[in-house]
Amino acid sequence: MSPAARPGPSAVDTSRPFGAHLRMRWWKPLVLMLVTPVVLLVLQVLAFRLVGVVEGSDDPLSPELTPLKSLAVNLATAVTGLVAVLLLVWMTQVPWRALFSWRRAFDRRRLAHYSIGAALLVGAGAAVVGVVAPQSTGWTTFAVSGTTIAFLAVTVLTTPLQSAGEELVYRSVLLPAAASWVRPVRPALAVGLVVSALSFAVVHGSTDPWLGGYFVVVAVSTGLTAIISGGMEAPIAFHVVNNVLFGVIGNALSGGGTTTIDRATDTGDASLLTLFAVNVGMVALVATYERRCRRHSSEVPTHRPEGTL
């Protein structure tokens, strides 16, 4: 076989854990980091302008969030996640399934278990914040209007797509891409976590230190759950449940009107420490569950056919 006909090295390193399992040239992660936010920005601007035409708005890029704008944001983010996965697969020829789980198949049972656990943790966190620091939530009064119903429909039907799209961009793609720069496993995972977390926080565009710190904590926590569990079930479950629950609560307690996206200075405060704890709790839950799964697997006796030693 001639050198030109020999297959190149696989983009997946079977000796490394999920999150540090990809190999690629040094410039490819940079392309991914630059292209994905541009794709997201372009898609959102185009979608907002289309919404502006439909709604007859003079300022389609205003921070006021209508149901159609919320739909536009969710779909643009979901499409960006798909583009990020397809781009990485095209650039490296990595099997797309390796971006969802590694060394095992994607597990719907894990997804269900982690969704239930996330619902309990996020629900408890929302309740604590609502009682201890209601002024920090932006929630006003309970009311149900046509706008509320539209918001709730958009939240329930498309926010899972938006949340999963973000996880595809930052945990399926950017985390292992950045980790490919470093060969030792633990430093590689640290680099992947830092780069993907900072990218996640920057794209969310908050100038408030509390909110900025919260976005970093969310990104690091979901990245850790992906690494610990060896797949994307836990981060997707937590992100979807978190965004849907807070979306439903915020819509129901918005006084029946629209909401405004405001991540400027002084929009966060120490009440976010409760939500920090929720993220830490999710990491602990995943670590406990995965440890139990490994212990259970090791305790299952190996079946030997009769007549063998």
Side-chain angles (χ1 to χ4, degrees), residues 248-276:
V248 168
I249 295 170
N251 294 332
L253 298 178
S254 65
T258 59
T259 59
T260 300
I261 302 175
D262 185 6
R263 294 172 180 159
T265 304
D266 297 330
T267 52
D269 56 33
S271 65
L272 286 171
L273 290 173
T274 300
L275 303 185
F276 290 4

Short mmCIF file of all heavy atoms in Angstrom, two decimals, residues 248-276:
data_model
loop_
_atom_site.label_atom_id
_atom_site.label_comp_id
_atom_site.label_asym_id
_atom_site.label_seq_id
_atom_site.Cartn_x
_atom_site.Cartn_y
_atom_site.Cartn_z
N VAL A 248 -40.83 28.83 32.53
CA VAL A 248 -42.25 28.70 32.88
C VAL A 248 -42.58 29.60 34.08
O VAL A 248 -43.59 30.31 34.07
CB VAL A 248 -42.58 27.23 33.18
CG1 VAL A 248 -43.97 27.12 33.84
CG2 VAL A 248 -42.54 26.41 31.90
N ILE A 249 -41.74 29.55 35.10
CA ILE A 249 -41.99 30.37 36.29
C ILE A 249 -41.94 31.85 35.93
O ILE A 249 -42.80 32.64 36.32
CB ILE A 249 -40.96 30.06 37.39
CG1 ILE A 249 -41.14 28.62 37.90
CG2 ILE A 249 -41.11 31.03 38.57
CD1 ILE A 249 -40.02 28.15 38.81
N GLY A 250 -40.92 32.26 35.17
CA GLY A 250 -40.80 33.66 34.79
C GLY A 250 -41.96 34.14 33.95
O GLY A 250 -42.44 35.27 34.12
N ASN A 251 -42.43 33.30 33.03
CA ASN A 251 -43.57 33.68 32.20
C ASN A 251 -44.85 33.81 33.01
O ASN A 251 -45.64 34.73 32.82
CB ASN A 251 -43.77 32.66 31.08
CG ASN A 251 -42.63 32.63 30.08
OD1 ASN A 251 -41.96 33.64 29.88
ND2 ASN A 251 -42.39 31.48 29.48
N ALA A 252 -45.05 32.85 33.92
CA ALA A 252 -46.27 32.87 34.73
C ALA A 252 -46.30 34.04 35.70
O ALA A 252 -47.37 34.53 36.06
CB ALA A 252 -46.41 31.55 35.49
N LEU A 253 -45.12 34.51 36.10
CA LEU A 253 -45.05 35.60 37.08
C LEU A 253 -44.57 36.91 36.46
O LEU A 253 -43.96 37.74 37.13
CB LEU A 253 -44.12 35.20 38.23
CG LEU A 253 -44.55 33.99 39.05
CD1 LEU A 253 -43.51 33.65 40.12
CD2 LEU A 253 -45.91 34.21 39.69
N SER A 254 -44.88 37.10 35.20
CA SER A 254 -44.48 38.33 34.51
C SER A 254 -45.62 39.34 34.41
O SER A 254 -45.50 40.34 33.69
CB SER A 254 -43.97 38.00 33.11
OG SER A 254 -45.01 37.47 32.31
N GLY A 255 -46.71 39.08 35.10
CA GLY A 255 -47.84 40.01 35.06
C GLY A 255 -48.62 39.96 33.77
O GLY A 255 -49.38 40.88 33.45
N GLY A 256 -48.41 38.91 32.99
CA GLY A 256 -49.16 38.76 31.75
C GLY A 256 -48.57 39.52 30.58
O GLY A 256 -49.17 39.54 29.50
N GLY A 257 -47.41 40.13 30.74
CA GLY A 257 -46.82 40.92 29.67
C GLY A 257 -45.56 40.31 29.11
O GLY A 257 -45.26 39.13 29.33
N THR A 258 -44.78 41.12 28.39
CA THR A 258 -43.52 40.67 27.83
C THR A 258 -42.41 40.81 28.86
O THR A 258 -42.62 41.35 29.96
CB THR A 258 -43.16 41.50 26.58
OG1 THR A 258 -43.06 42.88 26.95
CG2 THR A 258 -44.23 41.34 25.51
N THR A 259 -41.23 40.30 28.54
CA THR A 259 -40.08 40.42 29.41
C THR A 259 -38.96 41.13 28.67
O THR A 259 -39.04 41.36 27.46
CB THR A 259 -39.59 39.04 29.87
OG1 THR A 259 -39.25 38.25 28.72
CG2 THR A 259 -40.68 38.32 30.66
N THR A 260 -37.91 41.48 29.40
CA THR A 260 -36.78 42.19 28.80
C THR A 260 -35.49 41.45 29.14
O THR A 260 -35.28 41.02 30.28
CB THR A 260 -36.68 43.63 29.34
OG1 THR A 260 -37.89 44.32 29.01
CG2 THR A 260 -35.51 44.36 28.71
N ILE A 261 -34.63 41.28 28.13
CA ILE A 261 -33.31 40.68 28.36
C ILE A 261 -32.38 41.76 28.89
O ILE A 261 -32.06 42.72 28.19
CB ILE A 261 -32.74 40.10 27.04
CG1 ILE A 261 -33.69 39.06 26.46
CG2 ILE A 261 -31.37 39.51 27.29
CD1 ILE A 261 -33.25 38.53 25.11
N ASP A 262 -31.95 41.61 30.14
CA ASP A 262 -31.08 42.61 30.75
C ASP A 262 -29.99 41.90 31.53
O ASP A 262 -30.23 41.32 32.58
CB ASP A 262 -31.90 43.52 31.69
CG ASP A 262 -31.05 44.65 32.26
OD1 ASP A 262 -29.87 44.78 31.83
OD2 ASP A 262 -31.55 45.40 33.11
N ARG A 263 -28.78 41.94 30.98
CA ARG A 263 -27.63 41.31 31.65
C ARG A 263 -26.55 42.34 31.94
O ARG A 263 -25.37 42.01 32.00
CB ARG A 263 -27.07 40.19 30.77
CG ARG A 263 -28.05 39.02 30.61
CD ARG A 263 -27.56 38.03 29.60
NE ARG A 263 -28.49 36.91 29.46
CZ ARG A 263 -28.55 36.11 28.40
NH1 ARG A 263 -27.72 36.31 27.39
NH2 ARG A 263 -29.43 35.13 28.35
N ALA A 264 -26.97 43.58 32.12
CA ALA A 264 -26.01 44.65 32.38
C ALA A 264 -25.54 44.60 33.83
O ALA A 264 -25.95 43.75 34.63
CB ALA A 264 -26.64 46.00 32.07
N THR A 265 -24.68 45.55 34.18
CA THR A 265 -24.17 45.63 35.54
C THR A 265 -25.31 45.84 36.53
O THR A 265 -26.29 46.51 36.24
CB THR A 265 -23.18 46.81 35.64
OG1 THR A 265 -22.15 46.61 34.65
CG2 THR A 265 -22.53 46.86 37.00
N ASP A 266 -25.15 45.21 37.71
CA ASP A 266 -26.13 45.32 38.81
C ASP A 266 -27.42 44.56 38.54
O ASP A 266 -28.45 44.83 39.16
CB ASP A 266 -26.46 46.79 39.12
CG ASP A 266 -25.25 47.56 39.60
OD1 ASP A 266 -24.36 46.94 40.22
OD2 ASP A 266 -25.17 48.78 39.34
N THR A 267 -27.41 43.60 37.60
CA THR A 267 -28.59 42.77 37.40
C THR A 267 -28.50 41.45 38.16
O THR A 267 -29.47 40.71 38.21
CB THR A 267 -28.80 42.48 35.90
OG1 THR A 267 -27.58 41.94 35.36
CG2 THR A 267 -29.19 43.73 35.15
N GLY A 268 -27.35 41.16 38.76
CA GLY A 268 -27.19 39.97 39.58
C GLY A 268 -26.81 40.35 41.00
O GLY A 268 -26.43 41.49 41.27
N ASP A 269 -26.96 39.39 41.91
CA ASP A 269 -26.57 39.65 43.29
C ASP A 269 -26.25 38.33 43.98
O ASP A 269 -26.19 37.28 43.34
CB ASP A 269 -27.68 40.41 44.05
CG ASP A 269 -29.02 39.69 44.00
OD1 ASP A 269 -29.03 38.44 43.98
OD2 ASP A 269 -30.06 40.38 43.97
N ALA A 270 -26.06 38.40 45.29
CA ALA A 270 -25.62 37.22 46.04
C ALA A 270 -26.66 36.10 46.07
O ALA A 270 -26.33 34.98 46.45
CB ALA A 270 -25.25 37.64 47.47
N SER A 271 -27.90 36.39 45.67
CA SER A 271 -28.90 35.33 45.63
C SER A 271 -28.51 34.23 44.65
O SER A 271 -28.99 33.09 44.75
CB SER A 271 -30.27 35.91 45.26
OG SER A 271 -30.26 36.42 43.93
N LEU A 272 -27.64 34.56 43.69
CA LEU A 272 -27.19 33.57 42.72
C LEU A 272 -26.36 32.47 43.38
O LEU A 272 -26.14 31.42 42.78
CB LEU A 272 -26.38 34.24 41.61
CG LEU A 272 -27.21 35.04 40.59
CD1 LEU A 272 -26.30 35.84 39.68
CD2 LEU A 272 -28.09 34.11 39.77
N LEU A 273 -25.88 32.71 44.61
CA LEU A 273 -25.15 31.66 45.30
C LEU A 273 -26.01 30.42 45.49
O LEU A 273 -25.51 29.29 45.50
CB LEU A 273 -24.67 32.17 46.66
CG LEU A 273 -23.55 33.23 46.63
CD1 LEU A 273 -23.29 33.77 48.03
CD2 LEU A 273 -22.27 32.64 46.04
N THR A 274 -27.32 30.62 45.64
CA THR A 274 -28.23 29.47 45.74
C THR A 274 -28.20 28.64 44.46
O THR A 274 -28.17 27.41 44.50
CB THR A 274 -29.67 29.95 46.02
OG1 THR A 274 -29.70 30.67 47.24
CG2 THR A 274 -30.63 28.77 46.10
N LEU A 275 -28.18 29.34 43.32
CA LEU A 275 -28.15 28.62 42.05
C LEU A 275 -26.77 28.02 41.79
O LEU A 275 -26.66 26.99 41.12
CB LEU A 275 -28.55 29.56 40.91
CG LEU A 275 -29.93 30.22 41.08
CD1 LEU A 275 -30.30 31.02 39.85
CD2 LEU A 275 -31.00 29.15 41.36
N PHE A 276 -25.72 28.66 42.32
CA PHE A 276 -24.41 28.03 42.27
C PHE A 276 -24.48 26.67 42.97
O PHE A 276 -23.94 25.66 42.47
CB PHE A 276 -23.36 28.89 42.98
CG PHE A 276 -22.99 30.17 42.29
CD1 PHE A 276 -23.63 30.57 41.12
CD2 PHE A 276 -22.02 30.99 42.81
CE1 PHE A 276 -23.29 31.76 40.49
CE2 PHE A 276 -21.66 32.17 42.18
CZ PHE A 276 -22.31 32.56 41.02
#
